[in-house]
Amino acid sequence: MSFDIIRSGRAVLHVTDLEKSRKFYDALGFVETEANEQEIYFRGLEEHNHHSLLLKKKDTPFLEVISYKVRSEEDLDKLAAKLEQDGYKVKWMDQQHAMGRSFRYQDIAGLPVEFYARMDSVERKLQQYDIYKGAKVQRIDHFNCMVSDVEATQDYYMKELGFSCSEYTAGEEEKVWAAWLHRKPSVHDVAFMNGEGPRLHHIGFWLKDPMSLIDGCDVLASMGYGPNIERGPGRHGLSNAFFLYLRDPDGHRIELYNGDYLTSDPDFKPIRWDLDDPMRQTFWGHAAPDCWFEEATEVLDVHSGEKVDKKPAKLKKRKPTFVI
Ligand SMILES: [Fe+2]
């Protein structure tokens, strides 16, 4: 590859009530970098970039874009040229607050995706233990998206964008039902799951330890957010991570995540899970609620700003037992 995608960097979500959202994300221990009447910029405690979660006040909750950081401005130009060569329409963005140049496009699955090379640096709060609270969110870790054709999406991300596969779920005739792909040396920067898509299933944020998951539950429950705890805590088979799934005040799903592993070895072999193996979704065996499989955030077109119509899943519907 002539370009280097570093990692998942930020997500931009539309929310309907900034104050409700602020209270929720503040309870989890996010750091508010700055805000105005229309936007809140959040980051994790160890993050030295300006934000990893941007909330914009709008009438309807949507995913505006998921963003990946690339190594340099030159990488950004080369990647844009490559995508245009492949037939994608690239939209260079006007200067966005606290960021350098960036462009967006609708990816092979119809997801709104953005690339950027530079974001303003801010104070890293890692050792300011006196401000730790809630789940003590450390940094963004991954996106998880529902797409109608997992195999085509996985293929493009691996062959054309340089992603590697850490784990995958295979069903009948070895059809890939879900795939976990990474650029940074962890289990994933993005996962694609078979389903009506394109939709954002969740954004994963990394915690420093499993106890922070429990602390997060305690704080949320004490503040009346018990109903926002959708699934977990538990341990995934796939990725080996501890997880907790939450729904924010607009229904956007956030995963608190800790305990995956190193994937940097060039001879690392992708781990296969069978679709019928219940341990891959929850290692301890307890089932996920139906809403976890059925509900997800709808996405916007980067060019028109309109909602992207969903396509049905390519693989036939069955009781899914995938995860992460
Ligand atoms: Fe996840």
Side-chain angles (χ1 to χ4, degrees):
M1 301 291 161
S2 62
F3 51 84
D4 186 2
I5 300 168
I6 302 293
R7 60 174 173 87
S8 46
R10 71 159 190 170
V12 182
L13 294 176
H14 291 186
V15 300
T16 56
D17 187 325
L18 276 185
E19 276 314 309
K20 280 186 182 171
S21 298
R22 170 180 279 121
K23 190 177 169 196
F24 177 81
Y25 287 99
D26 181 70
L28 291 179
F30 279 84
V31 177
E32 184 176 316
T33 305
E34 63 179 296
N36 55 51
E37 287 186 358
Q38 299 299 320
E39 301 166 326
I40 305 177
Y41 295 83
F42 283 115
R43 70 185 193 274
L45 286 155
E46 75 163 74
E47 289 180 313
H48 61 91
N49 277 175
H50 183 271
H51 63 277
S52 54
L53 179 64
L54 169 54
L55 305 181
K56 292 186 179 179
K57 184 182 181 332
K58 302 283 182 182
D59 291 337
T60 311
F62 278 114
L63 170 71
E64 181 176 307
V65 79
I66 50 178
S67 312
Y68 296 91
K69 187 174 186 176
V70 302
R71 182 166 295 281
S72 69
E73 299 289 333
E74 189 182 359
D75 291 70
L76 198 59
D77 290 326
K78 286 180 176 173
L79 179 52
K82 186 265 184 306
L83 292 171
E84 284 181 327
Q85 194 177 6
D86 287 358
Y88 292 101
K89 190 175 164 193
V90 161
K91 179 184 182 183
W92 287 94
M93 301 298 292
D94 295 334
Q95 183 67 47
Q96 296 185 84
H97 181 60
M99 293 176 70
R101 297 159 66 233
S102 66
F103 74 82
R104 297 181 178 182
Y105 84 119
Q106 220 74 27
D107 81 355
I108 185 168
L111 292 160
V113 170
E114 177 180 65
F115 294 99
Y116 65 95
R118 192 189 63 74
M119 186 183 281
D120 287 358
S121 287
V122 292
E123 187 183 11
R124 194 166 170 254
K125 304 276 191 183
L126 181 63
Q127 293 180 324
Q128 290 188 28
Y129 291 105
D130 53 314
I131 67 165
Y132 276 40
K133 64 179 180 181
K136 296 146 276 186
V137 171
Q138 299 286 302
R139 63 176 184 264
I140 193 167
D141 187 79
H142 62 267
F143 312 118
N144 184 306
C145 304
M146 299 182 97
V147 300
S148 58
D149 189 340
V150 171
E151 289 186 330
T153 307
Q154 177 188 14
D155 198 55
Y156 189 84
Y157 271 73
M158 291 181 70
K159 289 179 181 163
E160 306 300 332
L161 299 178
F163 282 70
S164 300
C165 181
S166 56
E167 307 201 20
Y168 66 100
T169 300
E172 291 157 11
E173 300 174 350
E174 286 306 298
K175 293 279 185 195
V176 176
W177 188 270
W180 283 254
L181 308 181
H182 67 91
R183 284 295 304 170
K184 70 179 181 301
S186 64
V187 167
H188 60 325
D189 286 287
V190 64
F192 297 113
M193 304 195 302
N194 181 59
E196 264 191 0
R199 287 185 293 167
L200 173 72
H201 189 270
H202 64 264
I203 308 165
F205 288 92
W206 201 85
L207 306 185
K208 66 185 179 66
D209 53 41
M211 197 58 211
S212 295
L213 282 164
I214 310 296
D215 292 340
C217 290
D218 284 341
V219 170
L220 288 173
S222 67
M223 294 176 69
Y225 286 120
N228 297 60
I229 299 174
E230 183 184 43
R231 177 181 172 200
R235 185 191 284 281
H236 289 310
L238 233 153
S239 84
N240 192 51
F242 280 97
F243 66 86
L244 178 72
Y245 292 97
L246 306 168
R247 305 296 290 274
D248 86 353
D250 285 284
H252 299 305
R253 186 178 289 104
I254 299 297
E255 181 186 17
L256 303 182
Y257 180 90
N258 166 263
D260 62 351
Y261 55 86
L262 189 67
T263 54
S264 56
D265 279 17
D267 59 350
F268 181 90
K269 291 182 178 56
I271 296 165
R272 179 193 181 282
W273 291 83
D274 193 280
L275 188 56
D276 293 323
D277 182 351
M279 289 179 75
R280 83 182 188 292
Q281 65 160 352
T282 310
F283 197 63
W284 304 334
H286 52 298
D290 288 346
C291 57
W292 192 94
F293 296 108
E294 292 160 4
E295 297 172 8
T297 296
E298 301 213 69
V299 308
L300 294 178
D301 186 290
V302 301
H303 301 287
S304 68
E306 300 294 317
K307 183 174 89 169
V308 176
D309 290 333
K310 299 190 296 285
K311 291 181 189 164
K314 187 179 174 189
L315 299 178
K316 68 177 179 181
K317 190 166 183 177
R318 52 189 284 182
K319 180 72 174 176
T321 46
F322 50 77
V323 169
I324 301 310

